[in-house]
Amino acid sequence: IDFSYLALGFIIIMLPYFVWAQITQGFFLKPFLLVTQGIIVGGEPEPYYYYFINFFKVYHFLILVALLFQFIKITISLKNKSLKNIKEKHFFEIFLFLWIILFFIYFIILPHKELRYILPLAPPLFLLSSIGIDFILDLKIKIIKFLSYMLFIIILIISIYPSLQRISLPIINLDKSAE
């Protein structure tokens, strides 16, 4: 991949914003620097590990399992090939991992944290998870393939079970209210 095209695309997209920010703010990076100072809304700032603790309130556990499979895939590739081949073959995955890591570094620094701030992580998380699931399901070792299928089925059943309990309840609650 030629990085000059990526740099040119970034400059073309961001140049109007940088010009606007330079004219209105006096320094084109000022809005980014002001965000790191943060505005604390209602109380103490959240701890730096806030997003790690609350990650599963937004994303499913299966994503973390699939990311682990993806990490195993890259580790196996690193073991078997040279670093140059890894960069060429797994550039997309490395880019997505960097997206996630840089995102966490930036948002951990901010004093005001909300769960909705980790929603932009959905594209790289889902893409990496799908690559990890594909890697495990395409393995040639039959016992590992069987166990991975069983793991996914068990996790999906466990995640669907609370919804199935709600379906068995009546749609309209006929109990008398306290009013």
Side-chain angles (χ1 to χ4, degrees), residues 88-140:
E88 292 171 3
K89 189 172 182 182
H90 298 290
F91 175 77
F92 182 66
E93 291 109 6
I94 293 169
F95 170 74
L96 293 175
F97 272 121
L98 283 174
W99 180 351
I100 293 169
I101 291 167
L102 292 175
F103 172 87
F104 271 116
I105 289 171
Y106 180 73
F107 280 99
I108 284 172
I109 293 171
L110 298 178
H112 180 73
K113 297 172 179 64
E114 292 183 28
L115 283 180
R116 63 188 173 122
Y117 293 167
I118 63 173
L119 289 176
L121 275 182
L125 283 173
F126 293 157
L127 289 170
L128 284 172
S129 297
S130 64
I131 294 169
I133 290 171
D134 181 58
F135 166 71
I136 289 297
L137 297 180
D138 283 346
L139 284 176
K140 304 295 182 214

Side-chain angles (χ1 to χ4, degrees), residues 42-171:
E44 294 292 318
E46 297 291 341
Y48 68 90
Y49 50 84
Y50 174 79
Y51 293 119
F52 297 109
I53 292 172
N54 296 306
F55 183 81
F56 295 115
K57 289 182 181 177
V58 179
Y59 296 110
H60 195 275
F61 174 74
L62 189 57
I63 288 179
L64 190 63
V65 172
L67 282 176
L68 178 67
F69 293 149
Q70 172 63 17
F71 188 73
I72 291 170
K73 174 188 175 190
I74 290 178
T75 306
I76 291 171
S77 296
L78 279 172
K79 207 173 189 184
N80 297 335
K81 297 177 183 166
S82 69
L83 190 60
K84 184 180 180 185
N85 290 339
I86 295 300
K87 282 184 181 178
E88 292 171 3
K89 189 172 182 182
H90 298 290
F91 175 77
F92 182 66
E93 291 109 6
I94 293 169
F95 170 74
L96 293 175
F97 272 121
L98 283 174
W99 180 351
I100 293 169
I101 291 167
L102 292 175
F103 172 87
F104 271 116
I105 289 171
Y106 180 73
F107 280 99
I108 284 172
I109 293 171
L110 298 178
H112 180 73
K113 297 172 179 64
E114 292 183 28
L115 283 180
R116 63 188 173 122
Y117 293 167
I118 63 173
L119 289 176
L121 275 182
L125 283 173
F126 293 157
L127 289 170
L128 284 172
S129 297
S130 64
I131 294 169
I133 290 171
D134 181 58
F135 166 71
I136 289 297
L137 297 180
D138 283 346
L139 284 176
K140 304 295 182 214
I141 305 168
K142 289 188 178 188
I143 187 71
I144 294 177
K145 192 173 188 176
F146 174 76
L147 290 174
S148 63
Y149 274 114
M150 294 309 296
L151 176 69
F152 288 127
I153 290 170
I154 290 169
I155 289 174
L156 287 174
I157 289 172
I158 290 171
S159 65
I160 291 172
Y161 183 71
S163 297
L164 292 176
Q165 284 182 327
R166 269 189 253 135
I167 290 174
S168 66
L169 296 174
I171 296 173

Side-chain angles (χ1 to χ4, degrees), residues 18-64:
F18 287 146
V19 170
W20 172 83
Q22 183 68 34
I23 292 169
T24 60
Q25 304 291 325
F27 179 53
F28 69 96
L29 291 177
K30 187 175 181 181
F32 296 105
L33 298 174
L34 288 175
V35 165
T36 58
Q37 294 172 2
I39 300 170
I40 300 171
V41 178
E44 294 292 318
E46 297 291 341
Y48 68 90
Y49 50 84
Y50 174 79
Y51 293 119
F52 297 109
I53 292 172
N54 296 306
F55 183 81
F56 295 115
K57 289 182 181 177
V58 179
Y59 296 110
H60 195 275
F61 174 74
L62 189 57
I63 288 179
L64 190 63

